[in-house]
């Protein structure tokens, strides 16, 4: 702008000077007289015009040269010019090409190729937030763990890529089985993105594995708030965690708060057998048998279970069989037609030596659902009524091969556990154990039959010790492993 203004001004000056000069020339007749450096020149009109043109050309040349020098100096100083712009565009194009080729290579599992493309892209682009990620992923695919770790660590330095870096490191640690570090990383990642679903689940499973019930309950609460967990499911899982938290505190010896926590857990989920049993035992220890009876009966209404009956028996451990039968009437009236209630009633009657009543309590269970427990009770009834030893042995022989009835089964891997726990021993699934009959082919474990010696007293000879076929256990474990492997993939 300024430059063109100067040019115009210069041009006008030159034109004006030429006009003046010509007018001057026309006035003079004797030519132009110049005095320079002590010498005197006398020029004719034509010579004067030529001299003016020469001077004009010299000035124009000087201006051009100065302009060129200025442009050259600016180029040296690193100013953006068409040349540098051309080279920059070329680099960028090559860089993005390498980046996209690298991403395709990574997606198709060619780790080495992806790595070299990532290095190329980094050289051309100078944008670490893009290339570091590709570098880390490519290194991971190529099996170069060290380089992948370095790549993820570099991502940590940038705010925009920190989460991605932590997530990559976390996955590496999980693969290595370093759950200690993985838990810390998951907590950091969760702090960055509390709504990230995958991170919530990872953190939750790590916390339950480590026994951080308090932290796990917080995550559950967050999931409920975000509407990712149905309310009833949250209630049940929270109760499970509360129970575990309480158990941990109980072991440390802080009894009062722990018992209250256990009772709170039982209250929020009456169908959760272990929580209720624990709460009831806490009441018994506190000398509040009425409260224990009340919550046990409430739980029996929801789901009759041998563990509840066992806890109910513990309220008065020294009573006679007749008194026990009478006291249990409250519990038995809750769900009179349930199979568990009928079995319990039969067992109590056997203990009280009222064998016809025991037979009546069993009813048609021998035909409709002949489990090992039903058949064992039948044997006891027959013996009590004075039947022949052959008949008693016949019932016991049938009991050995009969199905075991409901057990604590994992819904995920079909593993059977003698006691309930929040995490499956076999596959590590959280809150997957439910009280039901095992699927066909699963290895049976005696559980329900434990009630009989508890109420009747120890039998004189071992009656129910079935051998578990080894092949079935192996099958079960293998199934579990497959399941666990597909879950981690
Ligand atoms: Zn399992």
């Amino acid at each position: 702008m300024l430059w063109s203004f100067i040019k115009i001004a210069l041009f006008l000056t030159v034109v004006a000077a030429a006009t003046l000069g010509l007018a001057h020339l026309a006035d003079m007749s004797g030519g132009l007289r110049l005095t320079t450096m002590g010498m005197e020149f006398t020029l004719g009109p034509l010579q004067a015009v030529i001299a003016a043109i020469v001077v004009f050309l010299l000035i124009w040349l000087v201006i051009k040269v100065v302009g060129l020098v200025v442009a050259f100096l600016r180029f040296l100083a690193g100013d953006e010019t068409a040349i540098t712009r051309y080279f920059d565009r070329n680099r960028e194009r090559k860089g993005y090409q390498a980046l996209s080729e690298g991403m395709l290579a990574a997606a198709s599992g060619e780790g080495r190729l992806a790595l070299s493309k990532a290095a190329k892209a980094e050289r051309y682009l100078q944008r670490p937030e893009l290339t570091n990620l590709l570098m880390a992923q490519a290194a991971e695919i190529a099996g170069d763990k060290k380089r992948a770790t370095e790549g993820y660590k570099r991502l940590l330095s940038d705010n925009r890529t920190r989460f991605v870096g932590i997530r990559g490191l976390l996955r590496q640690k999980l693969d290595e089985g370093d759950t200690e570090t993985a838990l810390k990383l998951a907590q950091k990642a969760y702090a960055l993105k509390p709504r990230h679903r995958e991170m919530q689940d990872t953190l939750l499973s790590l916390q339950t594995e480590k026994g951080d019930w308090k932290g796990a309950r917080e995550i559950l609460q967050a999931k409920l708030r975000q509407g990712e967990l149905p309310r009833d499911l949250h209630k049940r899982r929270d109760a499970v965690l509360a129970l575990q938290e309480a158990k941990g505190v109980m072991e440390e010896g802080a009894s009062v708060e722990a018992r209250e926590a256990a009772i709170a857990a039982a209250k929020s989920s009456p169908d959760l057998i272990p929580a209720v049993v624990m709460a009831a035992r806490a009441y018994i220890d506190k000398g509040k048998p009425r409260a224990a009876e009340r919550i046990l009966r409430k739980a029996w209404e929801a789901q009759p279970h041998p563990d509840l009956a066992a806890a109910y028996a513990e309220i008065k451990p020294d009573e006679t069989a007749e008194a026990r039968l009478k006291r249990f009437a409250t519990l038995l009236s809750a769900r009179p037609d349930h199979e568990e209630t009928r079995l319990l009633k039969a067992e109590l009657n056997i203990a009280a030596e009222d064998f016809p009543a025991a037979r009546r309590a069993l009813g048609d269970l021998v035909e409709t659902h002949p489990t090992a427990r039903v058949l064992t009770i039948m044997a006891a009834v027959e013996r009590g009524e004075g039947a022949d030893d052959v008949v008693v042995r016949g019932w016991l022989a049938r009991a050995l091969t009969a199905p075991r009835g409901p057990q604590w089964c994992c819904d995920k891997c079909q593993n059977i556990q003698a006691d309930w726990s929040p995490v499956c021993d076999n596959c590590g699934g959280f809150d997957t154990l439910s009280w039901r009959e095992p699927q066909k082919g699963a290895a049976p474990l005696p559980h329900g039959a434990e009630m009989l010696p508890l109420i009747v007293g120890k039998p004189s000879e071992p009656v129910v010790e079935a051998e578990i076929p080894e092949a079935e256990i192996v099958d079960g474990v293998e199934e579990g492993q497959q399941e666990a492997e597909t879950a981690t993939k």
Side-chain angles (χ1 to χ4, degrees):
M1 190 69 195
L2 185 71
W3 184 235
S4 45
F5 177 75
I6 292 171
K7 270 199 249 184
I8 292 165
L10 223 76
F11 178 74
L12 287 175
T13 319
V14 169
V15 169
T19 321
L20 274 172
L22 283 177
H24 195 62
L25 275 178
D27 285 350
M28 298 189 306
S29 50
L32 191 65
R33 194 173 294 126
L34 289 172
T35 313
T36 332
M37 289 177 274
M39 284 185 287
E40 209 178 82
F41 299 96
T42 310
L43 300 172
L46 185 66
Q47 283 164 324
V49 168
I50 289 167
I53 289 169
V54 167
V55 167
F56 184 76
L57 276 175
L58 278 175
I59 290 169
W60 178 79
L61 209 71
V62 166
I63 288 169
K64 273 286 152 193
V65 167
V66 166
L68 215 69
V69 166
V70 166
F72 184 65
L73 286 176
R74 276 171 63 181
F75 171 67
L76 284 187
D79 220 23
E80 195 183 67
T81 63
I83 300 165
T84 57
R85 269 204 299 276
Y86 169 77
F87 281 122
D88 279 353
R89 261 206 300 276
N90 213 23
R91 283 174 77 89
E92 205 175 54
R93 192 175 54 76
K94 276 183 183 167
Y96 277 117
Q97 198 182 346
L99 187 70
S100 61
E101 280 168 5
M103 277 158 79
L104 283 173
S108 52
E110 295 166 284
R112 293 271 151 224
L113 181 66
L115 258 180
S116 71
K117 292 288 177 193
K120 197 173 166 189
E122 191 177 27
R123 221 170 38 242
Y124 282 126
L125 281 179
Q126 313 274 338
R127 289 188 60 182
E129 77 274 13
L130 290 178
T131 48
N132 277 345
L133 177 61
L134 180 60
M135 192 84 93
Q137 283 178 338
E140 192 145 40
I141 292 163
D144 190 344
K145 279 197 173 164
K146 207 164 155 252
R147 220 157 149 190
T149 310
E150 280 167 20
Y152 286 132
K153 277 186 181 159
R154 265 183 283 166
L155 288 172
L156 298 181
S157 54
D158 193 320
N159 269 338
R160 290 168 296 179
T161 56
R162 186 167 298 137
F163 182 81
V164 182
I166 295 177
R167 187 169 169 267
L169 289 172
L170 171 65
R171 289 223 320 252
Q172 279 193 324
K173 291 293 168 198
L174 283 175
D175 284 348
E176 287 167 19
D178 181 0
T179 47
E180 201 78 38
T181 318
L183 177 62
K184 281 179 197 149
L185 286 167
Q187 278 163 343
K188 276 196 186 129
Y190 178 72
L192 285 175
K193 282 194 181 185
R195 297 183 76 91
H196 196 275
R197 201 166 171 175
E198 185 208 78
M199 206 44 77
Q200 285 177 340
D201 292 342
T202 310
L203 185 54
L204 193 62
S205 75
L206 281 168
Q207 280 168 330
T208 52
E209 204 174 301
K210 290 272 160 211
D212 179 7
W213 312 114
K214 208 183 163 93
R217 286 181 79 184
E218 279 165 22
I219 304 285
L220 272 189
Q221 192 64 40
K223 277 177 93 80
L224 175 72
R225 271 202 308 274
Q226 288 155 22
E228 279 175 26
L229 203 64
R231 189 161 286 278
D232 53 340
L233 189 64
H234 167 262
K235 205 171 153 187
R236 181 168 134 78
R237 294 204 167 157
D238 191 57
V240 173
L241 292 172
L243 173 73
Q244 287 308 308
E245 201 184 343
K247 259 190 189 165
V249 181
M250 192 89 94
E251 278 156 17
E252 283 158 32
S255 51
V256 182
E257 292 82 8
R259 278 161 199 172
E260 272 163 8
I263 292 158
K267 265 180 195 158
S268 63
S269 179
D271 61 341
L272 208 70
I273 309 298
V276 176
V277 168
M278 201 173 135
R281 290 202 173 123
Y283 274 134
I284 295 169
D285 285 354
K286 260 186 181 174
K288 292 183 177 174
R290 288 265 156 246
E293 275 178 9
R294 219 175 56 223
I295 57 164
L296 285 170
R297 189 177 190 275
K298 199 177 169 193
W300 194 271
E301 272 170 27
Q303 197 187 327
H305 191 279
D307 289 352
L308 296 173
Y312 206 83
E314 282 171 32
I315 294 173
K316 277 189 185 163
D318 302 326
E319 65 193 337
T320 61
E322 285 77 21
R324 177 159 288 177
L325 184 60
K326 217 171 150 190
R327 190 169 63 84
F328 263 71
T330 333
L331 190 70
L332 293 172
S333 67
R335 287 278 289 272
D337 297 328
H338 194 275
E339 187 181 326
E340 189 58 49
T341 314
R342 288 158 72 184
L343 288 170
L344 177 63
K345 201 171 180 180
E347 284 167 348
L348 288 166
N349 275 303
I350 290 170
E353 292 180 9
D354 187 352
F355 301 106
R359 193 190 283 272
R360 273 200 305 280
L362 273 189
D364 57 353
L365 277 179
V366 178
E367 285 88 41
T368 53
H369 196 203
T371 61
R373 195 168 157 207
V374 171
L375 296 168
T376 312
I377 290 171
M378 246 349 255
V381 169
E382 294 284 7
R383 172 173 273 177
E385 289 181 339
D388 206 54
D389 264 6
V390 184
V391 180
V392 176
R393 252 185 250 126
W395 285 114
L396 290 177
R398 270 185 73 189
L400 284 176
T401 48
R404 293 282 160 183
Q407 315 275 341
W408 287 118
C409 305
C410 175
D411 295 334
K412 207 166 151 195
C413 71
Q414 308 306 330
N415 177 43
I416 295 171
Q417 282 180 220
D419 291 308
W420 179 89
S421 70
V423 182
C424 170
D425 283 347
N426 185 41
C427 70
F430 173 65
D431 191 18
T432 55
L433 291 181
S434 57
W435 180 255
R436 60 179 170 79
E437 304 232 355
Q439 279 184 355
K440 227 182 113 210
L445 279 175
H447 187 287
E450 283 167 9
M451 275 302 291
L452 190 60
L454 186 94
I455 294 169
V456 182
K458 294 277 175 213
S460 50
E461 52 184 309
V463 275
V464 277
E465 268 317 315
E467 288 257 331
I468 301 159
E470 218 156 273
E472 286 184 9
I473 298 177
V474 175
D475 281 350
V477 171
E478 273 171 3
E479 268 171 43
Q481 273 172 350
Q482 281 164 6
E483 194 110 356
E485 271 162 21
T486 44
T488 45
K489 265 172 200 169

